Amino acid sequence: MKHVAVLTSGGDAPGMNAAIRSVVRCGVAKGWKMFGVRNGFRGLITGNIVEMNTRDVGGIIQKGGTILGSARCEEFKTEEGRYQAIRELRQKGIDALIVIGGNGSQTGSYYLNNQGFPVVGIASTIDNDLCGSEMTIGVDTALNIALEAIDRLKVTASSHQRAFLLEVMGRDCGYLALMVGIAGGAEYILIPEIETDPEQVAKTLRLAYEHGKTHALIVVAEGAKYNAEALIAFFEKHEDRLGFKIRATILGHVQRGGTPGAFDRNLASRLGHGAIEAIDREEYGVLVGLNQSKITTTPLEEIVGKIKSVSMEMVELAHILD
Ligand code: F6P
């Protein structure tokens, strides 16, 4: 009988609870004892670990956020912090750990596994910037939240013949901006992967205005060189040329707090099951992800320190469609 703990780490993502539920229930179905760690890696260091059974994860599949809590933990980035975590895990009799999270969290998983404690990661971040999984838990819901914002902005933009600038999350990766920009019919999309000249954006807006468009939409990732603040500062100096009056909306954490949609609940359920199966096979130091519609495992050493970039085909498509 195995004793397995699960934690959520980094930025929360809609569907994390569905993953916790799946991990606990699939583990219990194997006859294992399951544990939850509160507040991410910080809870490991302080030994905040509680036993969880199937009833403890009842009624959470539809909830956003994470019932276990999450944190960004500086102490865990040190070797000593991780040894302290391992001491706590061993003292509680835990055999393996499942980490639900994104890039920073899976780097933590990698180092913990290398220091001798068996870890399996589950791909979860609204940024979808994690190598080893084509889709991560939370991104689909975040996209739909941002899309709803775009649809609403277009209504008011058209009423006033305005241009709207929407900033979405994505520190290092433009996936959210690109995909919601395409889905929302944006005139221009700015992402961290591609440097854009604001002069080009101004020309696009002018052209849209001259073509008689009643509104124009620019979607920008927070990590783009010209984010919403920088673009607004530029446009303020050149307002006469644009035609449209311009307004900016920064969506921020609104995108992270949503109720998970069907895709994220199902993905999380499948990845949770995949993580339990990996532990059953004693396949450690891997990330469980979704690739070509299948649940796969990828060695953590192949993904740490990398950032998944957006598809250049989608960038091309965005240009054709704008
Ligand atoms: O990694 C997910 C994410 O939402 C990023 O898109 C964003 O840059 C960051 O987290 C914000 O982090 P925090 O919630 O700690 O401010």
Side-chain angles (χ1 to χ4, degrees):
M1 188 216 231
K2 286 191 198 296
H3 289 192
V4 175
V6 58
L7 63 80
T8 49
S9 168
D12 63 335
M16 276 184 160
N17 283 327
I20 296 168
R21 173 181 180 269
S22 173
V23 161
V24 170
R25 291 195 173 172
C26 293
V28 168
K30 294 233 180 244
W32 301 349
K33 252 192 180 180
M34 302 303 293
F35 297 82
V37 183
R38 297 208 193 278
N39 307 323
F41 291 129
R42 191 186 301 147
L44 273 190
I45 291 171
T46 56
N48 199 345
I49 303 171
V50 289
E51 194 177 335
M52 292 181 97
N53 59 44
T54 50
R55 287 317 324 141
D56 295 321
V57 290
I60 66 167
I61 196 166
Q62 75 281 14
K63 287 189 180 154
T66 158
I67 59 158
L68 287 175
S70 189
R72 301 195 192 271
C73 179
E74 287 305 312
E75 207 182 335
F76 196 76
K77 291 181 182 163
T78 68
E79 202 174 44
E80 183 40 42
R82 291 190 294 271
Y83 276 126
Q84 171 61 21
I86 292 175
R87 281 193 287 275
E88 291 293 339
L89 284 162
R90 296 233 163 98
Q91 205 228 323
K92 298 253 173 357
I94 311 286
D95 305 305
L97 175 71
I98 295 174
V99 173
I100 304 170
N103 259 323
S105 310
Q106 302 310 344
T107 302
S109 302
Y110 171 70
Y111 285 118
L112 191 65
N113 192 77
N114 277 3
Q115 275 177 237
F117 197 85
V119 186
V120 169
I122 290 181
S124 175
T125 162
I126 67 156
D127 291 354
N128 202 26
D129 60 351
L130 192 56
C131 294
S133 192
E134 285 165 5
M135 289 293 276
T136 52
I137 296 169
V139 62
D140 183 68
T141 304
L143 275 177
N144 280 299
I145 293 168
L147 186 59
E148 191 184 335
I150 286 182
D151 290 345
R152 288 177 184 216
L153 288 174
K154 276 185 156 180
V155 172
T156 174
S158 291
S159 307
H160 292 267
Q161 204 179 13
R162 278 177 179 159
F164 264 85
L165 214 159
L166 178 71
E167 184 180 290
V168 298
M169 277 187 163
R171 238 181 334 212
D172 308 302
C173 173
Y175 184 87
L176 274 177
L178 180 62
M179 299 309 277
V180 82
I182 292 173
E187 270 68 26
Y188 215 105
I189 303 168
L190 289 90
I191 56 177
E193 290 88 341
I194 297 170
E195 202 175 316
T196 308
D197 179 2
E199 191 59 47
Q200 202 52 48
V201 186
K203 278 190 190 138
T204 305
L205 285 183
R206 182 75 212 178
L207 214 61
Y209 184 77
E210 281 169 4
H211 283 165
K213 285 200 179 181
T214 53
H215 64 261
L217 177 74
I218 302 154
V219 178
V220 52
E222 64 171 326
K225 183 175 173 200
Y226 285 90
N227 61 7
E229 204 185 334
L231 280 176
I232 285 291
F234 177 85
F235 290 146
E236 267 170 7
K237 289 190 212 122
H238 303 273
E239 211 171 48
D240 308 345
R241 288 198 292 137
L242 300 179
F244 293 108
K245 289 272 175 238
I246 191 151
R247 295 285 187 275
T249 300
I250 297 176
L251 214 49
H253 290 79
V254 168
Q255 284 155 105
R256 279 213 326 234
T259 298
F263 181 88
D264 280 322
R265 295 185 203 190
N266 288 334
L267 175 64
S269 301
R270 291 177 74 195
L271 295 184
H273 176 253
I276 292 296
E277 290 302 318
I279 290 176
D280 203 20
R281 297 191 297 273
E282 308 208 332
E283 186 188 356
Y284 299 121
V286 292
L287 178 81
V288 181
L290 181 77
N291 289 295
Q292 296 180 338
S293 308
K294 295 210 166 44
I295 302 304
T296 59
T297 53
T298 307
L300 287 169
E301 66 189 13
E302 288 178 20
I303 65 159
V304 290
K306 294 185 187 157
I307 291 184
K308 185 171 71 193
S309 190
V310 293
S311 141
M312 285 306 140
E313 270 172 44
M314 294 308 283
V315 172
E316 277 302 308
L317 181 61
H319 281 313
I320 297 168
L321 297 178
D322 63 22

